[in-house]
Amino acid sequence: MQMTKSNVTRLLAVAGFAAAGSTFAATPDEQSGAPAGYQGIGLRDVQVAPFDAFNGAATPGSGPFAMPDTVTNPAPTGQGLGALDRTAVVQAETTGELTKQQQGLVAQIDAAWQTGDFETGRDFMAQLDATGFDGSLTYAYTDTDIQPSGKAFDDVFAGERRIGGARIGIVSFDLDSAPNDNLFAVTGWGDTWTFNISTNGGSTWHETFTFGANSPDVDLAYINGFVYVGYSSAGEGRMRRFDPATGAVDGGYFFHTVFTPGVGDSVAEIAVESNEDNFQNRIYWTCLTANGIIEYFFDDSADGTTFGTVSTGIVDGVGPLDFHWNQDFTNGSTPFLVMSHRNAAGDAVVTANTGAWASTVVASATGVGNDVNISAYQDTIIVAYETAPAPADAIYHISYNGGTSYNIGTGIFPAPSLNYFNLDVSAALGYGTAMIAGEEVGEPDPVRFVQRPTYAPGAWPNQVGNTNQTDLQTGNDMVIEALPIGGSVTARYGVIHVTNDGGTFPVFDRVEDTAGCIGDIADDFGFLGSDGMVSFGDFLALLGLIGPCPGGIPGCTGDIADDFGFLGGDGMVSFGDFLALLGLIGPCP
């Protein structure tokens, strides 16, 4: 899961699972959760070359993205000490024991919030602060609806939807999804974080929980019936979990401390990940400490209370960090977990786990800017960053052999500004590779999106010049997440960024509506013959695209032979693409 600038049954009888903070020699299968005998797909025979793509972007606005999105946007406005004026159960989270006076004040705050007497509740809060209370108040909201506020957005590419109310000093957020089509987001700002759920594909969001203090970073991951949230409080790393159907906090689980740093150190950044895309039985928690140490923990996801740990060997880490599961890895030869960060020298580093962690410097400090981010799928690992000093381009390094060697790519976003920032990248779910970046051009600043529907070198043919409808706040992080299509989730990617529209708001965009798929050209353009599948109408649509790709770039919409590396690939839309289309006839995936 993305980290910020500053993401089965009961516990298995595995030798070595021990109390949180202990180190032991865990086998690869114990960490990955893979069943006995799991092998994976093996390495593919993919071109390894110095350059992967260079100045290879298609014309902005081309491809299967011009799909209307007209859903409205109810969203809450945050009020008062990090909590909404909504009925809630209030609890105190603290490392020490509460005095009787403090226990009584917390009970009175809880009673006031449950009955909607928020002013009285705030009076009791002031009294609690006066006692020297050193902890956090949490709010588990009990109402079922949120009054709409703010503004509805409508755009040909995506609908921009607010997540919660106006925030000051947003520092972190993350996005994930569950098989029941629900989406989840956490947002951290100041000393507060909130949990949010959408049950309609991101069209509206409900804030179900607020953590009231002292958490500079937050991250989440869905796994087999739970949404785990990692955060920090009182300097230590903790975990909570939520119901993916309702967004309700798990009161029985309460919170668990995963990691307590040494004297003089504290948790600075947190990332949470799971193996949901393969085995549905592991939850992972990592952090970067203020002293530059990267810690890693894992547990059976049905338990989430007794974490094992394996040393990463990293003691000179610099944020931001990014952390991801590698779906369909090959046991023993490609990693099941990957993370990226900068080291103290400023190098871009990939650290991968095939059973033990090993680090590779993919780019030297010269030219490496902020926002080093990573993703992986099978034998493909991609890491991207902005160049330094500004004006900044987007550089990516990509491996097609599990990290043994890397190609380099650049120029995939359009000129002329070459002033890109806050990158994020996705290679998940078999969709190919996708990247987002903010562009500093003067208000309104756009969020750029590019995507390549393969795991092979070549151009990035699918491009949206501007996914946002309001000014992007420069300097805030952005997140892209591959989403499993189904039910109310109709787009392959979700994006969260921060807007400046009448306040500082985190907003959700869904990018690339999927009425069609590769080969479903009639749907891509809304031509006559569109039917949500690859059929005869697409042959008619292909006729209208015959000729060179824009700018002579291979891999444009309609150049299906090049998209898949089929016989007949020639960098233009021609007869070879009719042959390729024959192999795709049928319903879209």
Side-chain angles (χ1 to χ4, degrees):
M1 291 288 124
Q2 170 72 28
M3 294 192 67
T4 63
K5 292 178 55 175
S6 340
N7 121 76
V8 280
T9 55
R10 293 296 301 169
L11 184 64
L12 298 179
V14 174
F17 266 83
S22 62
T23 301
F24 57 89
T27 69
D29 286 355
E30 288 167 3
Q31 294 183 65
S32 70
Y38 172 82
Q39 291 299 315
I41 65 161
L43 295 177
R44 301 170 300 140
D45 184 13
V46 179
Q47 176 186 354
V48 177
F51 288 99
D52 191 72
F54 199 90
N55 295 326
T59 303
S62 67
F65 302 107
M67 308 298 292
D69 188 348
T70 58
V71 211
T72 56
N73 173 39
T77 301
Q79 299 176 30
L81 301 178
L84 299 182
D85 282 355
R86 296 168 47 204
T87 55
V89 173
V90 180
Q91 289 184 313
E93 178 177 315
T94 180
T95 54
E97 294 291 329
L98 294 179
T99 67
K100 289 185 177 180
Q101 180 188 12
Q102 290 172 335
Q103 292 175 16
L105 288 169
V106 170
Q108 289 173 305
I109 294 168
D110 176 46
W113 234 264
Q114 289 202 47
T115 58
D117 188 1
F118 307 117
E119 290 305 316
T120 298
R122 289 191 180 92
D123 290 341
F124 288 130
M125 284 180 183
Q127 296 178 44
L128 180 64
D129 287 339
T131 68
F133 172 68
D134 184 19
S136 306
L137 294 180
T138 67
Y139 306 82
Y141 299 115
T142 56
D143 58 352
T144 57
D145 201 8
I146 299 172
Q147 294 302 311
S149 68
K151 171 179 175 182
F153 299 104
D154 186 15
D155 182 82
V156 295
F157 293 128
E160 193 172 83
R161 303 290 182 257
R162 290 182 183 177
I163 304 174
R167 310 302 190 199
I168 298 175
I170 297 172
V171 295
S172 61
F173 39 72
D174 196 24
L175 175 70
D176 207 352
S177 58
N180 63 3
D181 306 335
N182 290 351
L183 304 179
F184 317 102
V186 283
T187 302
W189 74 98
D191 59 3
T192 302
W193 62 264
T194 62
F195 183 85
N196 307 267
I197 184 172
S198 174
T199 59
N200 53 12
S203 297
T204 58
W205 290 84
H206 287 219
E207 183 176 306
T208 65
F209 181 84
T210 295
F211 183 87
N214 191 23
S215 185
D217 195 29
V218 63
D219 198 24
L220 88 167
Y222 171 82
I223 176 69
N224 196 22
F226 298 109
V227 184
Y228 280 91
V229 174
Y231 63 103
S232 64
S233 186
E236 59 184 32
R238 298 178 180 177
M239 192 87 89
R240 281 180 176 261
R241 69 187 185 192
F242 294 79
D243 183 341
T246 65
V249 68
D250 185 340
Y253 183 83
F254 195 34
F255 79 93
H256 285 272
T257 298
V258 180
F259 170 65
T260 302
V263 176
D265 204 359
S266 61
V267 173
E269 297 186 12
I270 290 171
V272 181
E273 184 58 289
S274 77
N275 67 358
E276 173 66 22
D277 292 335
N278 277 119
F279 312 123
Q280 299 87 44
N281 61 6
R282 289 289 184 274
I283 185 70
Y284 304 98
W285 189 100
T286 63
C287 76
L288 169 68
T289 75
N291 290 345
I293 300 169
I294 296 181
E295 302 281 358
Y296 155 76
F297 299 86
F298 66 98
D299 193 12
D300 181 289
S301 58
D303 179 65
T305 65
T306 310
F307 286 80
T309 180
V310 174
S311 174
T312 67
I314 299 169
V315 295
D316 64 344
V318 178
L321 276 79
D322 203 9
F323 180 50
H324 284 273
W325 174 258
N326 180 21
Q327 183 179 352
D328 297 341
F329 68 97
T330 299
N331 222 356
S333 61
T334 60
F336 51 85
L337 288 168
V338 294
M339 66 171 70
S340 64
H341 68 286
R342 289 180 299 158
N343 61 19
D347 303 326
V349 181
V350 171
T351 304
N353 190 340
T354 56
W357 290 98
S359 294
T360 302
V361 173
V362 296
S364 63
T366 303
V368 176
N370 292 324
D371 302 296
V372 180
N373 290 287
I374 197 169
S375 191
Y377 182 75
Q378 295 180 348
D379 57 3
T380 299
I381 304 172
I382 182 170
V383 59
Y385 55 89
E386 65 189 54
T387 58
D393 197 2
I395 300 288
Y396 70 93
H397 298 256
I398 189 166
S399 173
Y400 301 107
N401 52 21
T404 301
S405 60
Y406 283 82
N407 295 6
I408 187 171
T410 186
I412 63 171
F413 290 103
S417 78
L418 292 183
N419 197 8
Y420 298 104
F421 59 90
N422 299 115
L423 312 178
D424 196 20
V425 65
S426 172
L429 297 185
Y431 295 158
T433 47
M435 196 182 306
I436 57 171
E439 183 180 14
E440 182 60 58
V441 296
E443 295 184 7
D445 292 331
V447 178
R448 302 287 190 182
F449 169 91
V450 292
Q451 192 250 0
R452 180 169 61 184
T454 63
Y455 297 93
W460 295 61
N462 299 328
Q463 186 172 139
V464 173
N466 189 342
T467 72
N468 55 314
Q469 290 77 58
T470 54
D471 183 41
L472 172 69
Q473 185 181 48
T474 303
N476 271 98
D477 204 7
M478 293 190 292
V479 169
I480 184 170
E481 183 80 12
L483 305 176
I485 298 297
S488 60
V489 179
T490 60
R492 289 188 176 96
Y493 297 100
V495 172
I496 297 179
H497 63 273
V498 178
T499 181
N500 272 329
D501 181 50
T504 305
F505 292 93
V507 293
F508 171 82
D509 271 345
R510 54 190 184 202
V511 183
E512 190 197 8
D513 279 271
T514 53
C517 52
I518 294 177
D520 190 9
I521 305 169
D523 271 285
D524 287 345
F525 289 96
F527 290 163
L528 181 68
S530 59
D531 54 10
M533 59 189 298
V534 182
S535 60
F536 182 70
D538 300 300
F539 285 90
L540 299 179
L542 196 62
L543 285 171
L545 300 174
I546 291 292
C549 288
I553 300 163
C556 56
T557 298
D559 189 9
I560 304 168
D562 273 283
D563 285 344
F564 288 96
F566 289 163
L567 182 67
D570 54 10
M572 59 188 297
V573 182
S574 59
F575 182 70
D577 300 301
F578 284 91
L579 299 178
L581 195 63
L582 284 171
L584 300 175
I585 291 291
C588 286

